[in-house]
Amino acid sequence: MTFSRTYSRRTLLGWGTAGLCVPWTGHAASELWPGQPVTVVVGFAKGSVSEVLASTLAEPMSRVIGQPVKVEIVEGKSGALAAARVAQSTDGHTLGIVMSNTLTVAKSIDPSLPYEPSKDLRPVAFTSDDAMVLVAAAREPSTTSAADFLAAARIAGDKWRYGSQGVGSVGHLGMELLGMKAGLKARHVALGSGPEVLEAIRSGQVQMGMTSTTLATPGNGRMQGLKALAVTSYGRAELLPDLPSLRESGVVGFDHRIWSAMVAPRRWSEAQVSYMVAVMDRVLHDKPWVTKLRQQGVNVPRDTTPAQVNREIVRENRLLGGIVEIRQLAK
């Protein structure tokens, strides 16, 4: 399924560009790049971390680069189809905001995916970094605390099920890590998106799942009938400070984060990549837009550089590569 939204130059002209101007410093200045609208591809539906990021950042990106920015949703294979869309693009004006799994273990889980993360994609910016949230139905009597709920889940064994955004998604990998560390045997149900996971929990199709802070943030209307039990980061999450961590709830050493990155096709020139790195450095450190993202439950990291993306790729491959092997998740 695809969906697009365009922020036009006419809409943006009246806003001015104070504080967001980025000089062209590459040797390709005469090429006047970008010379046409820019597309930002995301792999999940409206309300997901990547969609909220792209839709919010499209406006200031347009102000900086002087071109309309279109957000295109390409759902499928836990975000991998969106990554492939970026990797295979040849127009020189297509980027993507992808979740961590598509840059790390997705290919080892499904070798048929039509792209190689390290060969076909280049990091442009580290766009978000936050905890996930363990969620259950509020009607469950064991949801008085995360520790009580996990005890009930252990007793239930494989009679309970958990939902995720799909095989190899960050929610799937997080729940498998929790299963290893907390002794859970709940069975996996692959669903299509974060909102679908929440609806499956609400309806009783599954008993639990992990979602983003974007969907779990109070006041967004997504958590009716549900209860957020704990965050998956090692310590408490800045955006949900009242929720304990799973580590606090007795899961020793648990630390699983959801992060995203903006990427470009490997075929882009050094000048193009350098220019877009400068654009995103300005946009991701512009306080009004960072504040707007935080209000929507998206945490923008302090270090947004491509180098940080590469460090996170190394860290996550070490952590999640073992889970893929031990839990036999590869197809």
Side-chain angles (χ1 to χ4, degrees):
M1 183 180 80
T2 61
F3 170 86
S4 65
R5 180 185 296 124
T6 301
Y7 297 89
S8 70
R9 184 194 297 255
R10 179 177 298 174
T11 302
L12 302 167
L13 280 175
W15 293 357
T17 55
L20 284 175
C21 294
V22 176
W24 181 270
T25 57
H27 66 272
S30 60
E31 297 175 10
L32 297 177
W33 184 88
Q36 65 188 52
V38 171
T39 297
V40 180
V41 181
V42 299
F44 296 96
K46 187 174 177 61
S48 65
V49 175
S50 52
E51 188 277 331
V52 169
L53 271 163
S55 294
T56 302
L57 296 178
E59 297 182 16
M61 285 175 65
S62 295
R63 293 173 63 180
V64 174
I65 66 179
Q67 289 288 342
V69 174
K70 180 176 69 173
V71 178
E72 179 182 325
I73 294 176
V74 180
E75 296 184 70
K77 291 187 178 292
S78 303
L81 291 187
R85 160 85 171 86
V86 177
Q88 296 166 359
S89 67
T90 58
D91 62 7
H93 289 74
T94 298
L95 297 147
I97 293 180
V98 300
M99 305 313 296
S100 56
N101 60 301
T102 62
L103 296 177
T104 54
V105 297
K107 189 72 175 181
S108 62
I109 292 174
D110 185 358
S112 70
L113 293 178
Y115 73 98
E116 288 282 354
S118 62
K119 295 180 180 179
D120 299 333
L121 296 169
R122 296 186 60 168
V124 171
F126 191 44
T127 47
S128 70
D129 184 20
D130 212 339
M132 297 196 79
V133 182
L134 180 65
V135 175
R139 64 177 177 274
E140 289 286 344
S142 59
T143 56
T144 51
S145 71
D148 288 346
F149 181 79
L150 292 174
R154 280 190 287 270
I155 293 171
D158 63 3
K159 294 179 181 178
W160 275 20
R161 296 185 292 182
Y162 73 86
S164 85
Q165 302 87 344
V167 175
S169 65
V170 288
H172 179 207
L173 296 166
M175 287 300 302
E176 288 295 321
L177 179 61
L178 181 59
M180 288 174 56
K181 288 187 170 290
L184 307 184
K185 298 185 181 300
R187 292 173 292 154
H188 178 222
V189 177
L191 300 160
S193 67
E196 287 181 84
V197 172
L198 296 184
E199 182 54 39
I201 298 171
R202 191 163 25 239
S203 68
Q205 180 184 353
V206 300
Q207 282 69 44
M208 57 184 159
M210 286 182 183
T211 192
S212 64
T213 55
T214 308
L215 292 176
T217 297
N220 69 4
R222 303 275 191 176
M223 291 293 288
Q224 185 175 1
L226 302 172
K227 185 168 183 179
L229 295 170
V231 295
T232 63
S233 49
Y234 191 77
R236 297 203 175 196
E238 189 176 346
L239 296 178
L240 296 171
D242 295 332
L243 278 184
S245 67
L246 283 167
R247 184 180 63 85
E248 287 178 75
S249 304
V251 186
V252 177
F254 197 89
D255 184 15
H256 178 63
R257 305 198 317 272
I258 178 173
W259 57 268
S260 69
M262 176 172 280
V263 295
R266 181 65 63 174
R267 61 175 56 88
W268 272 26
S269 69
E270 290 296 330
Q272 286 175 306
V273 173
S274 296
Y275 175 69
M276 195 54 69
V277 168
V279 168
M280 296 312 300
D281 180 66
R282 289 293 183 92
V283 169
L284 289 169
H285 292 94
D286 193 51
K287 288 185 178 179
W289 297 103
V290 172
T291 299
K292 186 172 183 179
L293 285 167
R294 287 177 61 84
Q295 290 170 344
Q296 297 176 87
V298 178
N299 184 57
V300 177
R302 290 182 176 85
D303 186 350
T304 61
T305 62
Q308 182 61 23
V309 179
N310 288 324
R311 284 190 287 269
E312 288 298 322
I313 289 172
V314 171
R315 182 194 68 84
E316 189 146 308
N317 273 326
R318 287 173 179 167
L319 173 66
L320 299 185
I323 297 173
V324 171
E325 183 176 351
I326 293 169
R327 305 294 273 196
Q328 298 181 332
L329 303 181
K331 293 184 177 180

